[in-house]
Structures are given as C-alpha cells and as structure tokens.
Amino acid sequence: MDYLVPLYNTTFISQEYIANEITIRKPIGPEKDTVLSWIEATFSMGWRCEAETAYCHSNGLYIAVKGGRICGFASFDGTAKGYFGPMGVSPEWRGCGVGQSLLCVTLRAMRDAGYGYAVIPTNSHAYYAQYLELFEIPNSEKGIYHDMLPIV
C-alpha cells in the first residue's frame, strides 16, 4: 500500500531527534562507493540502486554517522519523483532515534525542495504512523513495484 504524507504540516519536521552524538548529513562524492556498498551489504542490491539514483539525480541521500561509521540512511526520489525511501538503520542502532532523525531530515529536504506531499510505498505502516499523519492512497495495493524485474 502507498501512503501520502503532507509536507506542509511542519509538526513532525520540527521535532528532529538525534541521539548519541550521531550526525545526519549528505555523503560527498568520494564517499559514494563506501556508502552504496554499505547499503547493499546491510540491506539489499535493490536499496543500493534506489539510493544511488537518489544520490545522483536529486542529491536526495542522507546518512547517519557516528565515529566514522554509518548507522543508517534515508533517501528520496530514488524510485520516482516525490517518493520517500528507502530508509534503513543498522540493527545495532535501531530503537535509538536514528530512524526518526533520518525520516525528519529527509522529509524536511523534500519540503524545502518544493514538494507538498511525499509518497511512502510501504508495508511498514505502523512504523511511520508513530511519527506522521499518513493517508492511504486508494487502489495502490500493487504500487510502483508491481511489474519490477527481479534484482540479480
């Protein structure tokens, strides 16, 4: 199912929470391969591809870093214009506010880029509903991924 998030509602955007001295930032050019390799190794090739598209086309990739190590990432415009995600946090950093911080920073960037809404294609409705007002998009069960080729 796909969900819409109104970005003109700033309540979630102003409540950025970064714990444990973690920095949320955009990776720079020389870090590209390191970041994308980490995403593939930690999550999947598919997420790597979406993150690379976000990085190269809209500069829409963010990473969470502590002590020179990546803790998580979030992106937008990697699947289609106006789409949030993918987003992932290393297992050892889950439950520490990293995902919430990545979510807020990335959605703020989307709003600042001129988007009025973000589309979140997810089966993790419960996670996002903790922080956002989500509106289900009718008839979006198949979603944008329904006809996708297998990822090798």
Side-chain angles (χ1 to χ4, degrees), residues 42-102:
T42 307
F43 300 101
S44 72
M45 172 62 85
W47 280 16
R48 177 199 170 111
C49 292
E50 288 177 297
E52 184 169 19
T53 299
Y55 177 87
C56 294
H57 291 215
S58 67
N59 198 18
L61 177 62
Y62 290 85
I63 55 174
V65 179
K66 180 176 180 174
R69 295 190 62 215
I70 302 170
C71 306
F73 83 102
S75 62
F76 70 92
D77 286 355
T79 305
K81 288 277 188 193
Y83 273 64
F84 170 83
M87 178 178 84
V89 175
S90 289
E92 64 269 23
W93 285 101
R94 292 179 187 161
C96 298
V98 175
Q100 180 183 1
S101 295
L102 284 162

Side-chain angles (χ1 to χ4, degrees), residues 31-45:
E31 298 173 306
K32 178 184 169 197
D33 285 336
T34 300
V35 170
L36 295 175
S37 294
W38 178 86
I39 292 169
E40 181 178 349
T42 307
F43 300 101
S44 72
M45 172 62 85

Side-chain angles (χ1 to χ4, degrees), residues 84-135:
F84 170 83
M87 178 178 84
V89 175
S90 289
E92 64 269 23
W93 285 101
R94 292 179 187 161
C96 298
V98 175
Q100 180 183 1
S101 295
L102 284 162
L103 178 65
C104 290
V105 168
T106 307
L107 291 176
R108 181 186 303 132
M110 290 182 75
R111 183 197 62 195
D112 293 348
Y115 291 101
Y117 293 87
V119 176
I120 300 181
T122 186
N123 57 5
S124 302
H125 174 270
Y127 175 79
Y128 293 104
Q130 297 175 82
Y131 310 111
L132 306 171
E133 184 176 11
L134 298 172
F135 297 93

